[in-house]
Amino acid sequence: MSTQTLEPAPESTSSSARRRLSARATSSDRFIYFLAAPVLFVLLLFVVVPMGQTMLASVDGGAADNYASFLDGASGEALLLSVGTSLASVLSCGLVGTVLAILLARFDFPGRRVLEVVAVLPMALPPLIGAVSFVLLYSETGIVPRALAEWFGLSPADTAVTGVAGVLLVHTFTMYPFFYLSVSAGLAGLDPSLEAAAANLGAGRARVWRTVILPMLTPALVSGALLTFMISMASFTAPQLYNVPTLTMQIVSTRTSGNEGLAAAQATVLSLVSIVFLVSMRWYQGRRVHRSLSKGSQLDRTVTRGPARIAALVGSALLTVVLMAPILVIVLVSLSVDASWTTQVLPERYTFDNFTGIFTDPGSLLPISVSVQMSLLATGVAIVIGAIAAWVVARWKRLGGTVLDIMVMLPWALPGTVIGVNLITAFNEPQPGNLGLTLVGTLWILPAAYFVRYVPLIFRSTGAALDQISPSLEEAARNLGAGPVRVLRTVTFPLVARGVLAGALLAFIDGVGEYVASVVIYPAGLAPMSVEIYNRIYSSQFGSAAAYGTLQIVLILVVLIVSNRLKAGRRDSSGAALTAAPAS
Amino acid sequence: MTIYASRPKNIADRVVARFEAANPQYKGKVKMLTMGAQEVLERVRAEAGRPQADIWWGGTSQQFEQGVAAGLLAPMPSAAARRVPLAYHGRNDLWLGEMRMAQVIFYNRDMLTPEQAPKDWDDLVTPAFRDKVLIRDVAASGTMRSAFSAMVDRSFARTGSPEQGYEWLRALDANTKEYVPNPSDLYLRVQRREAPVSVWNLQDILVQQKKGAPFTPVIPASGAPILIDGVGKVKGGPNGAAADAFVDFLFQEPIQQELAETSFQIPTLRLSREPAWLTAIGLKEMPVDWATVNQREHEWITYWSEHIKGHRR
């Protein structure tokens, strides 16, 4: 195996090395600009110009009035609440996601393989029907409080989850995969010989973790924290469900009162706060760069034995049930008779009508096909743009990198409604800002919205993978005579493939379930699946909404299993650096 | 032709099917998007540069007046307008009231007897109903905004100040166990016995009741505020002629009669025969100065969400 070093903080990227780099800067800089140009173009068109129009709207009719509402308390309190719950969500998701990733990557215990698939499943929870399932599980009349009342005589009012705790519960459940996936990818990129070396030098287990593993995981943790923080800031369904007046709730209610200028100002502040968080995380990460000079490879898992084995079995079974519960509730509702489940812990009457209804009506499979195709298309484009943008940002260490980073991440900080409205405003008639492109009323607007919303996922997870690789690997290849494209193809891409794949998986899954932006933009007659689910909830057909939700979950489960198989297959056949992945 | 509708899908689908049967030239050419009334407004507003919809079907007078102010609506065909009593015309006939929505109290009859149930609005704020009321989140719902404003208007009409109305809302907030995010969730939670009492529109309560929900509506002794729910034509929509035909069809007595009989709708048109359920329920209207409400709603609801909601304990 090649020599491995743990590159310390950048200040010791010695000045001579830097001189060497800058001597070569011209040709590699040109290559960066060459790659950055199309990415910048796409982002300007779909992200920056539409957002710019919203910012303009916020100064329409008196900027002072609109922004003053943050000082007099009304919006200010909502903002504080948003930031507070987002920070708390980062903590809880970070804890759950990281611990789960480490457990599954480093330990072998009974039930591990099942948990590996289940661990990502909460991502598959359809947003709307998912919200209902949390109510059915944890509200005062939910399964858990009712069961606790029946078994232990506890008052359901005391065990019900409400308010901010409810929002945190939903956030933790649905957002920890951002940490789980990026930390798993990060662990896969680690070289076990570093740990072995540290251990040989006499470091204890805790010390190896503190000084070797966790620092190497910094990019993964930063990536998880960023995605979680920004998406919690933009989260709407959970605050609405638990009636917590966050800034996103304010935006919607301000729009309802017809005050678009104020709503635009609130959306602008929301994105500014997220950008500040993004920039400060970049700064923090920039101060602590720890890179490996080797490709990662799989460390043998520690096998649990004796009593630990039983504890692991029980623990993972419990964890599986807890993680699966919201999904099982959706399945349960899809099989129960509408309005028959009232005071019982579990429904008493079951039926298949909700499913036969979907499969016998030829029109009702159309939404599934619309969602899958549009999401695939968007993910394809997002892979290209997101991965290139990540590489450019990682290698372009000047202001340009930060600006590009902000441009890609911006949509992640915005509520879906704002993105939908931005896109409609920007693309409803030919104008210079959109190069004469009109998307409103066409099917193309759906993949455009999914692309804008989910390109940050691929961008971030690719970026986290890239940050673990030292640029000197690429440099070595170039010194050996490889052109820039060949370096990307043979060195860089294989090393980050897992990061790209992790992001793409998330993007596809989220695209299939996207609701908030879709509902504002979908063209007549081509409703995506989530909109169809909403329509059925709106008509109080919970059973058939849940049946759709179940189909969506099955679909996503199939995608997860197939992608796991693909990864496992490739590892078995080649053992190449492409999949130094722990997942099976 | 494209319709943006905030009406329950099954009701709207039925009307469209009838329309296509009566006008075969439009058969299979009507597309309908169902969404919340506020979402319709947002969408029509965003698409103003290149309108996609022809009809905006369903929404409060507040929402339609926002549409009028933003220049999103075209005048309704005069034949239809003539059939609708003047009281239900929007500004410059840019929209027409199609039905009247009565805001009433309802309760879960598996949890309360008729004697225990509230009889009038003021009963809702007595200590007997502490933690027994669920309310659909007000700020986000056009219907609830109008209903709450009607309560404030009672005091405004008497005293010229909203203060007593605010006091009443404060007392209601103290009795409110939870504000729920959407109507479906409201039905679900009342059915699942989280609390027995709520406020909603009569039509939806009766529709839910017909589907088997244990809901009983109460017409408050002092009367029910009755809102107008309307229809408008989107300005610059691609199929103006079809839109005119649809509006004309919708405002004809046979279809309104059918909607009244089967879907518990209270039409704005004068029907020659009142549906039996409406006669039986004995609807009494609460006098509300809707002009004042439309003018003040924003101020009152903003005050409610900032100074009253959730300040009970």
Side-chain angles (χ1 to χ4, degrees), chain A residues 84-108:
Chain A
T85 44
S86 301
L87 288 176
S89 303
V90 169
L91 281 182
S92 61
C93 293
L95 201 67
V96 175
T98 311
V99 168
L100 204 57
I102 291 172
L103 270 181
L104 292 179
R106 287 302 170 84
F107 297 92
D108 200 11

Side-chain angles (χ1 to χ4, degrees), chain B residues 39-308:
Chain B
E39 286 159 343
V40 176
L41 170 60
E42 247 168 45
R43 206 171 157 138
V44 172
R45 184 158 28 204
E47 290 171 352
R50 192 172 176 235
Q52 297 294 306
D54 300 292
I55 300 276
W56 166 0
W57 187 13
T60 61
S61 58
Q62 265 282 311
Q63 285 160 329
F64 276 103
E65 285 302 323
Q66 281 189 40
V68 171
L72 303 174
L73 296 167
M76 297 290 267
S78 51
R82 273 195 301 274
R83 275 174 253 138
V84 178
L86 273 179
Y88 309 119
H89 284 221
R91 210 190 314 166
N92 301 331
D93 286 355
L94 287 168
W95 61 276
L96 292 173
E98 186 213 347
M99 64 173 184
R100 307 167 70 216
M101 277 212 302
Q103 304 297 303
V104 300
I105 300 166
F106 76 97
Y107 64 93
N108 183 333
R109 61 170 168 268
D110 294 338
M111 296 175 76
L112 294 182
T113 63
E115 292 70 40
Q116 293 166 326
K119 314 281 182 299
D120 200 358
W121 296 111
D122 289 342
D123 293 342
L124 291 180
V125 300
T126 56
F129 289 98
R130 186 159 189 111
D131 278 345
K132 293 211 163 80
V133 185
L134 288 177
I135 298 279
R136 150 85 163 107
D137 187 28
V138 180
S141 154
T143 314
M144 285 312 294
R145 291 174 76 96
S146 304
F148 266 40
S149 300
M151 295 296 132
V152 179
D153 181 67
R154 292 193 301 178
S155 92
F156 197 79
R158 265 197 318 267
T159 65
S161 142
E163 221 24 76
Q164 285 179 7
Y166 289 160
E167 266 319 305
W168 193 89
L169 290 180
R170 228 169 248 130
L172 181 64
D173 181 68
N175 280 357
T176 301
K177 183 162 181 177
E178 191 89 65
Y179 294 93
V180 301
N182 57 56
S184 297
D185 206 40
L186 179 69
Y187 311 144
L188 189 75
R189 292 193 197 213
V190 176
Q191 258 176 56
R192 289 174 62 77
R193 305 190 186 180
E194 208 164 308
V197 179
S198 184
V199 173
W200 196 239
N201 73 71
L202 182 61
Q203 182 188 17
D204 286 354
I205 298 165
L206 293 174
V207 168
Q208 291 304 315
Q209 191 186 48
K210 196 174 160 187
K211 282 187 185 168
F215 298 164
T216 301
V218 176
I219 307 296
S222 58
I226 299 187
L227 326 173
I228 304 173
D229 198 88
V231 187
K233 246 185 81 182
V234 177
K235 189 156 98 186
N239 303 293
D244 284 344
F246 181 79
V247 169
D248 190 64
F249 176 81
L250 185 63
F251 284 99
Q252 300 217 1
E253 193 173 332
I255 190 77
Q256 289 296 329
Q257 185 80 47
E258 185 189 327
L259 286 171
E261 303 280 0
T262 57
S263 305
F264 307 104
Q265 223 164 273
I266 310 172
T268 52
L269 296 190
R270 281 187 204 94
L271 297 182
S272 33
R273 120 185 95 81
E274 190 175 74
W277 65 266
L278 187 55
T279 318
I281 214 160
L283 186 61
K284 177 183 173 193
E285 181 166 0
M286 171 197 263
V288 177
D289 179 357
W290 289 109
T292 309
V293 167
N294 284 349
Q295 207 187 344
R296 307 241 170 203
E297 186 194 287
H298 180 62
E299 170 198 334
W300 293 345
I301 298 300
T302 307
Y303 185 88
W304 174 81
S305 43
E306 274 165 33
H307 302 284
I308 298 175

Side-chain angles (χ1 to χ4, degrees), chain A residues 275-402:
Chain A
I275 290 171
V276 168
F277 189 78
L278 169 71
V279 173
S280 50
M281 288 307 261
R282 274 182 68 91
W283 170 80
Y284 172 76
Q285 191 184 346
R287 289 189 37 180
R288 315 187 23 164
V289 175
H290 298 276
R291 287 176 176 137
S292 167
L293 283 176
S294 74
K295 66 182 181 60
S297 62
Q298 176 53 42
L299 185 72
D300 287 337
R301 290 188 173 85
T302 310
V303 181
T304 48
R305 292 180 201 290
R309 196 173 168 79
I310 293 166
L313 182 67
V314 173
S316 66
L318 265 179
L319 201 57
T320 306
V321 170
V322 171
L323 291 177
M324 290 283 288
I327 286 162
L328 292 177
V329 166
I330 295 179
V331 178
L332 205 60
V333 175
S334 75
L335 292 173
S336 66
V337 179
D338 271 345
S340 71
W341 182 13
T342 52
T343 56
Q344 313 80 358
V345 174
L346 292 175
E348 281 167 355
R349 288 159 54 204
Y350 294 89
T351 172
F352 273 110
D353 287 357
N354 297 317
F355 286 98
T356 43
I358 289 180
F359 285 109
T360 49
D361 173 9
S364 56
L365 291 175
L366 181 66
I368 300 179
S369 135
V370 167
S371 281
V372 171
Q373 292 186 42
M374 296 306 108
S375 185
L376 266 182
L377 186 59
T379 308
V381 182
I383 286 177
V384 177
I385 300 290
I388 294 180
W391 187 81
V392 170
V393 167
R395 297 293 175 259
W396 194 2
K397 287 297 175 203
R398 298 176 204 158
L399 187 63
T402 307

